[in-house]
Structures are given as C-alpha cells and as structure tokens.
Amino acid sequence: MTTQFSRRRLLQFGAAAAGVTALSSCTRGLGGSNNTSSGGGSKGALDVMFWGEGDQNKKLIEALDLYQKSSGAAKVNPQYSGFSGYYDKLATRVAGGNPPDVFQIHLPYLMEYIKRGAVAPLDQYKDDLGLDKMPDYVATTTKADGKYYFALLGAATQPAIIVDTTKLKSLGLTAPSPDWTIDQYKSAMADVWNKSGHKLAGTADLGGNPIALESFLRGRGKALFGDGSTLGFAQEDLAAWLQLWQDLRGNGSAVPMPVTAAATGFQNDPVTVGKAAYTGTATSRGLPSMQSLTKDTLSLGTFPSGGAGSAPGTNIIPAGWFAISPKSKNIEGAVSMLKYLTSRPEAAQAMGLARGVPIPENIRADVAKTATGLNKLVLDNYALIASKGPAALQMYPPGASKLLQTSLPNANQVVGFGKSSVSQAVTKFFSDAKAALQ
C-alpha cells in the first residue's frame, strides 16, 4: 500500500512492492482494440479493468478469450496491470465520468464505491450471477442495504500462513496442526530461533497487517468494525496485538523491523531470502508465487486461534469482486461476461486457481478433479477452513482503507523502531480512526 493497499500488503505482510508495471503501459485489447472509452455493445468493446500478480492476468485473459468465442458474447477490451497504481487510475476514470464497464475491486473499497454511486445494482441479475446461492461466509460482501452489487469470480482462505517445511525439517521441527493457538504459535516461533542457534527467525513480522489483526480479533470475539463507522475492538485489543509483535521481535522469534522495512515484494520476503521459517500472505493464492521464488518446499498453514472455544483464525474471502458501472452502455453484455466467468466449467479450467477457488460446488469439484501439487494444497486448505464454519465477512465502512493501509502499519513500525511505546501507538491509531471513520 502506498496511498492504497499495496501488492505487498495485499498479497503479503509488509511494505509496498516495487517494480510493478504501470497500468497505462499494460493495456491490451482483445481483437486489436485498445479502446479506453466507457460503454460497450455495438459502439465499442466492454472495458474490463483488473489487476493481477504472477499469472493471474494471463489466466483471466485466457478465460475472456473463451468467452468471446461463445454464442452472443460481447466484445471485450481487457485493461490490466499489477496492483501498484490500480486504484489511482480507477479513481481518476470514475471521477472523470469515464469509468470502465466492468472493474475489479476489493474489500476496503466496496462500500466507498457504492456510496459514490459508481457501482450498478445487480438484483435483477442475481440468478444469472448466482448471487442468491453464495455461501454465508462470502455472501455478506456481495450486497449492501439490501441490494446486490458485486459478482465473485472465486474465493480463498485468509490469511494464509506459509511454512518452509525444508527449513523446519533441517531443524528437526514439524509443521503445526490446523487448530494451533496463539500461545502455541509463539512457542513454535521461539523453537525455530533457538534450534537454529539464533540464525533463523521464526516468522516474518505480521504486526502491521490488517488481515492478520482481523484474524487475531476474531479469536478474541471481536471484529475490525462495529455497526456504522466505528471500530469493533477496544484499545486493549490493539495493545495486545502490538505487544505480541514487539515481544516476538524482542526474543528473535520474528525478524527485526529493519528486515521488515526492506521486505518489498515476495522476492524479498523473509522466507524467500532465508531469514525466517514462517511468513504470511493475504490469501492462500500467494503460495504458488512464493514457491516460485525458493528451492525450499513450502506448505500452507492456518492462522492461530485464540484458544478453546474461540473462532478460527483463518477465514474465507472472495479473491475477486467485480462490479459493473451504472454508466456502461452495455450492462447486459457485462452481465453475460461475468456469468460466463463465474458459471462455466471451461472458464474455471482456464483460470485455474489464479482468481481463487471456484465458489459454486459443481465448478469447484470439476477443477479439483485435475488439481495436483500446490493447487491441491490450496483446494484442501479451502475445504478444511470451509468445514470449520468460517464467520461471515464484514463490508468495511468508508474511510477504512486509509486507516488500515496507513495507520496500522505505522503503529507497528514506530513501536518496532523504538520511536513510540505501545500505549502511545494505540492512542494515535484510535485518534486516526476517529478522523477517518466519519
């Protein structure tokens, strides 16, 4: 996150990523069009704007190619990039009255774009898009104020703990069980540090990441946000979270803050560079990207819970919300495209798990038939979390994005660099929240 959620904080836990190709240089029009004007149908292709990491864009484009070969398909003009700069470009187009017909969006911005009137209601298309058949754990983020607004391409477990099993094996340690607790987590991280002769930290620092904080709060029976524009937790909860990471850094169980500050992108993650045995990604989709950067064998774990009787630390979240602009001249065509992507087995096979695990059971079962290796790990991890009855997601209030992408990382950082006490950092965060959540 720079002014928005960054690739690093979205897909990993840490500082913003560098070297992501700018949106303006990545536009590709299927059928030879690079049209950037809003409005599809006979007057032009549907502008479909999205971001991706690794092969996510390539896989989505393959599915869009298939869609355009289907009967009655609208023409599509994909406009895509990495995450960096995506929201700046999208906001500029929306504010200028030239929005894309269809665009990708994610959790911190859902309500903000609804309030801007930038998202078309989809109630009359709910059957086409399967919106009334979504599992409870993701259905809450498809609608607001009784209206449907967002189509879902897939889902993933969140957050995902990435485990370097090669490193653990070399130390005589084993990966944790799925139901481990925060106390067991602390003990396991200390074991890595001690067994390695103080050469390998247990974990990357997750203290500044809102997804990890939300999981921690869930284990304490709390939520990030309450009703309306309020926080759903108390100062003592944030103090416990920041102190947890200060303690882990202090005893070598987590990497020191300078390492975290330098960890921009998967390629510089503490696990990738051999400085920790555990790290985290926002969702299980991060596993293949991480694995591609190390010769060590990686596996998926779950975020620790608060203990007996507490809610699971890991949840399930949509991996791709897509919205339709009310200014589109071809809303029917946009719905046709999204229906194809969300309900056709051939589209799911083309995308694989690049856009998340398919949500419809029949599509998910079809993909699972041919899944191997890392993809099977992701599917198994999804099934495990789904079996535990994950909590329904919250739709964040307007102003949440700034609070989560700036104030929380800053709170963890000033404590980690010794520039502030935990108490002072908590007071500042709550002051920021009062100003942001209005």
Side-chain angles (χ1 to χ4, degrees), residues 32-206:
S33 171
N34 283 322
N35 174 30
T36 58
S37 63
S38 176
S42 60
K43 294 184 179 181
L46 290 170
D47 283 358
V48 183
M49 189 170 168
F50 52 92
W51 80 83
E53 305 297 334
D55 65 353
Q56 291 170 357
N57 290 339
K58 176 178 178 291
K59 293 291 188 181
L60 181 52
I61 288 170
E62 288 176 4
L64 290 172
D65 283 337
L66 290 176
Y67 163 69
Q68 289 193 113
K69 296 174 183 176
S70 66
S71 176
K75 292 182 179 180
V76 178
N77 176 27
Q79 300 173 352
Y80 55 95
S81 71
F83 192 81
S84 179
Y86 175 84
Y87 277 101
D88 292 334
K89 180 71 172 181
L90 178 61
T92 297
R93 291 191 60 172
V94 170
N98 180 38
D101 297 272
V102 181
F103 56 91
Q104 185 179 356
I105 193 167
H106 73 295
L107 191 57
Y109 297 96
L110 302 184
M111 187 61 74
E112 291 187 19
Y113 272 68
I114 290 174
K115 296 299 185 183
R116 292 182 192 180
V119 182
L122 300 176
D123 292 70
Q124 68 188 93
Y125 307 110
K126 65 180 181 180
D127 292 335
D128 288 325
L129 300 174
L131 297 179
D132 55 349
K133 298 178 181 178
M134 292 287 167
D136 291 342
Y137 50 78
V138 293
T140 49
T141 62
T142 63
K143 62 192 305 184
D145 301 326
K147 294 182 179 181
Y148 289 103
Y149 287 100
F150 304 104
L152 306 180
L153 261 61
T157 58
Q158 176 184 274
I161 296 298
I162 305 297
V163 187
D164 188 327
T165 56
T166 299
K167 289 287 194 303
L168 293 187
K169 185 177 180 179
S170 71
L171 299 174
L173 300 172
T174 58
S177 67
D179 57 353
W180 63 338
T181 66
I182 288 289
D183 286 340
Q184 290 170 329
Y185 177 81
K186 292 190 290 186
S187 178
M189 299 309 107
D191 283 346
V192 173
W193 177 245
N194 292 327
K195 292 275 188 180
S196 69
H198 297 177
K199 294 179 180 179
L200 183 71
T203 179
D205 187 342
L206 316 185

Side-chain angles (χ1 to χ4, degrees), residues 23-36:
L23 180 66
S24 59
S25 64
C26 288
T27 302
R28 175 207 178 206
L30 294 181
S33 171
N34 283 322
N35 174 30
T36 58

Side-chain angles (χ1 to χ4, degrees), residues 228-249:
S229 296
T230 62
L231 292 174
F233 58 96
Q235 292 194 20
E236 64 187 34
D237 297 307
L238 182 59
W241 175 249
L242 294 178
Q243 190 62 56
L244 167 66
W245 291 99
Q246 181 70 341
D247 291 344
L248 290 172
R249 288 186 296 264

